[in-house]
Amino acid sequence: MLWKFQHKEFFYLFIVLAITILVIVANEIRRKKVISRLGEISMIQQLMPESSLEKKRLKFLLWLFASIFLILGLCNLQSGNKSEEVTREGADIVVCLDVSKSMLAEDIDPNRLTRAVMALEKFIEGLQGDKIGLIVFAGNAYVQLPMTSDYGAAKIFLSSISTEMVPVQGTNITEAISKAMECFDEEKGRNKSIIIITDGESHEEEAIKKSEEAAEKQIMISTIGIGSEQGVPIPDIKNGKKTGFKKDREGNTIITKLNIKLLQDIAKSSQGVFVKATSANLGLGLIMKKIQELEKKKIETTIATDFNDQFRIFFFIAFFILIFDLFLSERKSQMWKKLNLFNESKSS
């Protein structure tokens, strides 16, 4: 039997419920402080003999449990009665995205980094059966998203990318390739691919050696050069606004240029492809076509094919509790008084 919640986004309502409980508790504490100024709380309670503190607490608990069951009902717990083995074919793809400050250059509309993120979101939407990982790099490289087939999670990670993620500036393609290679399993087969998206403003000979090492492990590296060969200034962004262009210590405007030769050599050494990006087309479609020519890895997974909704059970329990709470008065009934007297006499 397999279980899952269909609408997990409604779990956020538990946060709202927790905040509501804190507000209620805070108000109750404040109310007791106000009452205590008027005299002893026990004496004041004797002036309100029909009011039942126990019933108030009971009604609060009923409301709390009803709220919990309502939220669980909205999440819709589902039970899977039948499962089957499904075989899918796909490739393992790691995207290495340059997040250095030079990626803010505006020679690609609206800027290099934003355009790359937008293209990657569409690229992920077109994946079927493939796994994807994400590396961000500048002067250092970091695994932002390990290999996964959860495309929704991949898009969430993409949306959080910025040039502030890597504190050390530069374009360390060598380390990016090394980190990407670590994301793959040891199983051999031409089903592994690395896509590097960068302005290539680097002169690392080690990057070519690292790509040759990847080729020996049957990992194909494709590169996308994003930017201008002639060079453009780098915007200086402060508090989300452009205040001018970055300058060096001598006061000269810093120019960023695309290093096509390096990216071509990296792709060539691992039998990948090089694409020069434009504002209209980043080139991911051409690279995906090349990836699809590789031998695909067969992945066997167990999935439930027949799910039954269980939300009615939670809604029924919540409805029953609310009906009971509706007819439960906060005042002491005769039966409640007799029950209290019985408990008092028993304790004495």
Side-chain angles (χ1 to χ4, degrees):
M1 180 73 74
L2 296 174
W3 299 86
K4 72 169 187 176
F5 285 100
Q6 184 182 14
H7 303 295
K8 295 180 182 178
E9 62 272 15
F10 285 113
F11 277 117
Y12 288 111
L13 290 175
F14 281 113
I15 299 176
V16 178
L17 180 61
I19 294 172
T20 304
I21 292 171
L22 289 175
V23 171
I24 292 173
V25 171
N27 283 337
E28 183 63 20
I29 293 172
R30 184 176 59 83
R31 188 184 69 86
K32 285 185 177 180
K33 286 182 178 179
V34 173
I35 293 175
S36 64
R37 293 172 188 167
L38 303 175
E40 290 291 333
I41 294 178
S42 58
M43 293 293 294
I44 294 173
Q45 286 178 344
Q46 291 179 13
L47 298 175
M48 300 180 291
E50 298 300 318
S51 179
S52 173
L53 182 60
E54 290 81 4
K55 277 193 171 184
K56 286 182 179 180
R57 290 172 178 171
L58 178 59
K59 285 179 71 66
F60 173 76
L61 287 174
L62 290 173
W63 168 82
L64 178 60
F65 281 111
S67 299
I68 292 172
F69 281 107
L70 280 173
I71 294 172
L72 291 174
L74 289 171
C75 293
N76 190 20
L77 181 65
Q78 293 180 317
S79 59
N81 296 323
K82 187 172 66 176
S83 62
E84 63 180 24
E85 293 288 333
V86 177
T87 301
R88 297 178 179 176
E89 289 187 343
D92 290 346
I93 305 167
V94 177
V95 176
C96 299
L97 181 59
D98 188 348
V99 294
S100 58
K101 298 291 186 182
S102 59
M103 289 291 285
L104 294 175
E106 298 168 335
D107 47 358
I108 297 288
D109 187 44
N111 62 53
R112 296 174 181 178
L113 183 59
T114 302
R115 184 69 188 87
V117 170
M118 291 167 61
L120 282 171
E121 286 176 345
K122 290 185 179 180
F123 174 74
I124 291 171
E125 289 173 359
L127 296 178
Q128 291 183 344
D130 306 294
K131 287 186 176 181
I132 188 167
L134 181 62
I135 306 285
V136 293
F137 70 97
N140 297 118
Y142 301 95
V143 178
Q144 179 74 0
L145 176 69
M147 201 72 70
T148 181
S149 55
D150 187 344
Y151 304 143
K155 291 178 73 174
I156 290 173
F157 276 95
L158 264 179
S159 65
S160 65
I161 283 178
S162 73
T163 56
E164 305 299 323
M165 301 183 74
V166 182
V168 181
Q169 285 302 297
T171 310
N172 196 338
I173 298 176
T174 303
E175 188 175 339
I177 295 174
S178 180
K179 291 285 185 182
M181 290 170 64
E182 293 173 4
C183 291
F184 299 113
D185 56 37
E186 294 298 322
E187 182 184 349
K188 290 188 176 181
R190 290 193 56 81
N191 50 18
K192 303 170 185 177
S193 181
I194 298 173
I195 302 174
I196 301 173
I197 303 175
T198 177
D199 53 25
E201 197 174 26
S202 171
H203 301 280
E204 299 178 87
E205 295 301 322
E206 288 296 321
I208 299 173
K209 292 181 182 179
K210 184 61 69 172
S211 64
E212 290 172 349
E213 183 184 328
E216 291 174 2
K217 296 182 178 181
Q218 295 185 311
I219 300 173
M220 183 182 76
I221 301 177
S222 295
T223 56
I224 295 177
I226 185 166
S228 167
E229 294 177 75
Q230 291 73 33
V232 293
I234 303 172
D236 192 8
I237 309 296
K238 291 181 180 178
N239 298 323
K241 295 181 180 181
K242 185 168 74 172
T243 58
F245 297 99
K246 288 193 174 294
K247 299 182 184 296
D248 58 22
R249 292 180 180 179
E250 285 74 34
N252 300 314
T253 300
I254 300 174
I255 301 297
T256 172
K257 295 182 180 180
L258 173 64
N259 188 348
I260 284 184
K261 179 68 167 60
L262 174 65
L263 298 181
Q264 287 175 331
D265 290 344
I266 290 173
K268 185 178 179 181
S269 62
S270 60
Q271 298 181 352
V273 295
F274 165 76
V275 182
K276 187 177 184 304
T278 65
S279 294
N281 187 5
L282 202 72
L284 284 166
L286 181 63
I287 291 175
M288 192 62 197
K289 185 178 179 181
K290 180 72 174 179
I291 293 173
Q292 289 172 344
E293 295 174 1
L294 302 178
E295 178 187 345
K296 299 296 180 69
K297 178 170 65 177
K298 290 185 177 181
I299 305 169
E300 290 188 355
T301 55
T302 302
I303 63 169
T305 57
D306 186 16
F307 280 100
N308 293 323
D309 296 331
Q310 306 295 336
F311 68 90
R312 296 177 186 83
I313 297 173
F314 295 100
F315 282 154
F316 175 78
I317 296 173
F319 177 75
F320 178 80
I321 293 174
L322 288 173
I323 290 297
F324 182 73
D325 178 67
L326 183 65
F327 286 98
L328 181 65
S329 171
E330 292 185 2
R331 299 173 67 83
K332 292 181 180 179
S333 62
Q334 292 300 320
M335 184 180 294
W336 192 270
K337 290 178 181 178
K338 290 179 181 178
L339 188 63
N340 279 349
L341 287 172
F342 174 77
N343 290 333
E344 289 174 3
S345 61
K346 188 176 182 181
S347 59
S348 61

